[in-house]
Amino acid sequence: MQLRKASEKDTEEIKALWAYCFEKPSDPFFQWYFTDLYTPSTVLVGEEKGQLACSLHRRPYTVRVRGRDFPTDYIVGVSTHPAARGRGYASSLLRGAFHLAAKEDKPFVILMPSAASYYLPQGFGFYVHQWQREAAPEELAKISERPAAARTLDNDGDWKELSAIYDAFTKKRNGYTLRDEASWKSHIKGQLLEGYIAVVYDEKGPSGYLFYTMDDRKLIATEMAFARETGRRGLYAFMAGHRGSIDRCLWQEPLDDRSFRYWNDGAEHTYIKNRTFPYMMARVTDPVTAFDGLPCPEELEGEELAFQLVDSFLPDNNGIYVLRAEDGKISALKEDVFYSLKCHIEDISGLTLGEGIPEPAFCINAGSLAELFMGSASLTELSDLGKIQWLQADEMEKERVLALADAMVPAEKNWINEWF
């Protein structure tokens, strides 16, 4: 199979494959996607004997990770022609997308998994979970607060109000996408094709918004953001106001949310259902570019963290990596060549060289590295879960390495809400 970027002449075959695997051409989303978002150059295709066998769409985004803005590919629409399935084409397509991303200085890609078990062996790790909550509108009213005003939008003219709420909501978060005027207007247009947008206000102005649909007597929120707690409670009140026309409200909130501590009567286990929803995965394509330049505490100046990466899906990434704290930033290097030479010299000479070439403290796989980089887990958490393999036995040294890693690349409050 030959991998290549799509061209305009592939469009009809790409549409046909999407229609077979996902929405039909008559679906509003299909029409909007291929009218407003689709560009052939962002699609990677696999060709077999002159026929399109599989395709993968690389949606371009900018994602903020640890205070830095990274260009990335959001992988969607991974699909294989029914006559070409069972041959490993999808895996080859993903591997090609990873290589292409690294070549384009995109050190990681993201993906919303339909079946996470398929993507984990390919080096993806979960980086965003969300609380998925559900309640009857009458029960949701118990923790709501009537907003000063509320309205629904029918066009993109007030996108700045949504943007201001989004910016306040994501201010202390990590892993979210940056949205400009064009992306906001596209986002709004896509939502209004099949649903509604509500905005609530308090005495300070716009305080929260809700993207939602109503179907089968359910109000289903696909995006919820609020600038202040009054905005959250105002959105609860807006949803609760639909009692009589709906039976259930479903919405999602960040995994770090602790508001359940203040719900009436222990609502979490009485009238509000609460479960985790695995929302987004990430895959590091270039470890050096990913870590290099990330901010870190200045008091770590001169400290080094060395580890071995085992990446079975992208073996070119295998090796020894060193993260050094320099001038408040991480300097990342791959030391595999020098480390192998050092080991070879030590083996044949019997001497311990040591100086200048750090020994790796632990071994980590690609999926766990993605979690560490994205901030969905600290090294201590990964260690406690048995997700890393220690390469030396000294317990005091392990504790030192864990403390250093947790200070250099700590866990973050991750959130993202892109569906395509």
Side-chain angles (χ1 to χ4, degrees):
M1 182 183 67
Q2 177 188 359
L3 294 181
R4 60 174 175 81
K5 286 185 179 181
S7 64
E8 191 64 45
K9 66 180 179 63
D10 299 307
T11 296
E12 292 307 312
E13 283 189 278
I14 290 170
K15 284 183 175 182
L17 187 54
W18 186 290
Y20 187 91
C21 297
F22 309 112
E23 297 87 10
K24 301 302 180 185
S26 58
D27 189 276
F29 179 87
F30 182 101
Q31 296 172 18
W32 170 70
Y33 182 85
F34 282 98
T35 300
D36 285 33
L37 299 184
Y38 169 79
T39 54
S41 62
T42 61
V43 179
L44 188 65
V45 300
E47 193 175 59
E48 180 71 23
K49 297 180 180 179
Q51 298 294 317
L52 191 142
C54 52
S55 66
L56 174 155
H57 297 238
R58 307 163 63 227
R59 296 277 301 118
Y61 278 96
T62 300
V63 174
R64 181 161 291 170
V65 177
R66 301 186 182 277
R68 286 194 62 196
D69 297 342
F70 291 91
T72 189
D73 288 332
Y74 182 0
I75 295 175
V76 301
V78 181
S79 50
T80 304
H81 191 281
R85 294 178 182 177
R87 304 178 191 176
Y89 285 177
S91 292
S92 297
L93 196 63
L94 283 162
R95 187 177 287 109
F98 299 161
H99 285 307
L100 192 55
K103 184 179 179 181
E104 295 174 350
D105 293 324
K106 299 172 181 175
F108 65 93
V109 298
I110 61 175
L111 175 147
M112 179 185 285
S114 56
S117 58
Y118 175 76
Y119 294 104
L120 288 169
Q122 294 163 348
F124 280 94
F126 288 110
Y127 98 86
V128 172
H129 281 70
Q130 294 185 6
W131 287 124
Q132 191 172 73
R133 290 170 169 159
E134 179 180 348
E138 295 83 1
E139 302 292 354
L140 187 54
K142 296 178 181 179
I143 56 173
S144 69
E145 178 181 324
R146 184 177 178 180
R151 69 187 183 108
T152 57
L153 305 184
D154 59 10
N155 60 66
D156 59 18
D158 290 324
W159 70 271
K160 289 184 178 179
E161 287 193 348
L162 304 188
S163 181
I165 295 168
Y166 182 87
D167 290 346
F169 184 73
T170 57
K171 185 175 182 180
K172 295 182 179 180
R173 301 197 182 279
N174 180 68
Y176 59 90
T177 59
L178 303 186
R179 297 178 181 175
D180 58 14
E181 179 178 357
S183 60
W184 267 114
K185 289 185 174 181
S186 176
H187 197 46
I188 292 168
K189 181 178 179 180
Q191 172 62 22
L192 293 178
L193 284 173
E194 298 185 288
Y196 309 90
I197 301 173
V199 184
V200 297
Y201 301 80
D202 60 17
E203 68 282 355
K204 296 182 180 179
S207 57
Y209 69 76
L210 192 73
F211 285 38
Y212 67 100
T213 59
M214 290 194 296
D215 184 47
D216 194 26
R217 294 190 62 81
K218 290 182 180 179
L219 186 155
I220 303 171
T222 55
E223 179 162 317
M224 174 179 174
F226 43 88
R228 296 169 290 281
E229 183 61 23
T230 52
R232 187 215 305 258
R233 292 182 178 269
L235 292 173
Y236 288 169
F238 179 84
M239 290 190 282
H242 287 75
R243 53 186 174 272
S245 59
I246 63 166
D247 298 324
R248 307 294 293 175
C249 300
L250 292 84
W251 73 100
Q252 295 173 16
E253 296 188 64
L255 194 63
D256 62 89
D257 174 61
R258 303 282 291 170
S259 64
F260 60 83
R261 295 184 61 239
Y262 305 100
W263 290 350
N264 305 334
D265 304 322
E268 186 172 10
H269 296 294
T270 53
Y271 56 82
I272 290 184
K273 294 182 180 180
N274 204 33
R275 67 184 185 123
T276 57
F277 173 55
Y279 190 87
M280 194 72 70
M281 305 180 85
R283 210 289 180 200
V284 174
T285 60
D286 184 342
V288 170
T289 305
F291 284 95
D292 195 56
L294 290 179
C296 68
E298 292 187 359
E299 57 267 26
L300 297 181
E301 181 70 25
E303 295 280 6
E304 293 183 338
L305 181 68
F307 61 88
Q308 180 182 6
L309 173 63
V310 175
D311 189 339
S312 58
F313 197 73
L314 291 181
D316 287 349
N317 283 344
N318 289 340
I320 308 301
Y321 292 84
V322 181
L323 309 182
R324 296 190 177 99
E326 297 178 355
D327 300 322
K329 294 182 178 180
I330 293 174
S331 174
L333 298 169
K334 188 178 182 183
E335 299 276 18
D336 57 323
V337 174
F338 300 104
Y339 182 77
S340 299
L341 179 61
K342 169 182 177 290
C343 291
H344 177 67
I345 294 173
E346 289 179 340
D347 286 343
I348 62 175
S349 68
L351 300 175
T352 301
L353 300 181
E355 294 298 324
I357 303 178
E359 290 282 348
F362 59 90
C363 180
I364 190 169
N365 65 28
S368 295
L369 183 72
E371 293 184 36
L372 183 66
F373 166 69
M374 299 299 294
S376 54
S378 65
L379 189 66
T380 294
E381 181 179 346
L382 292 171
S383 177
D384 290 344
L385 292 173
K387 296 293 186 179
I388 65 171
Q389 178 185 354
W390 288 100
L391 299 179
Q392 45 87 28
D394 186 277
E395 293 300 323
M396 290 185 65
E397 178 61 14
K398 288 181 184 179
E399 291 301 319
R400 186 195 72 80
V401 169
L402 289 175
L404 173 59
D406 290 355
M408 186 178 285
V409 280
E412 300 281 352
K413 294 181 178 181
N414 288 357
W415 181 86
I416 190 174
N417 205 79
E418 310 301 332
W419 291 82
F420 43 82

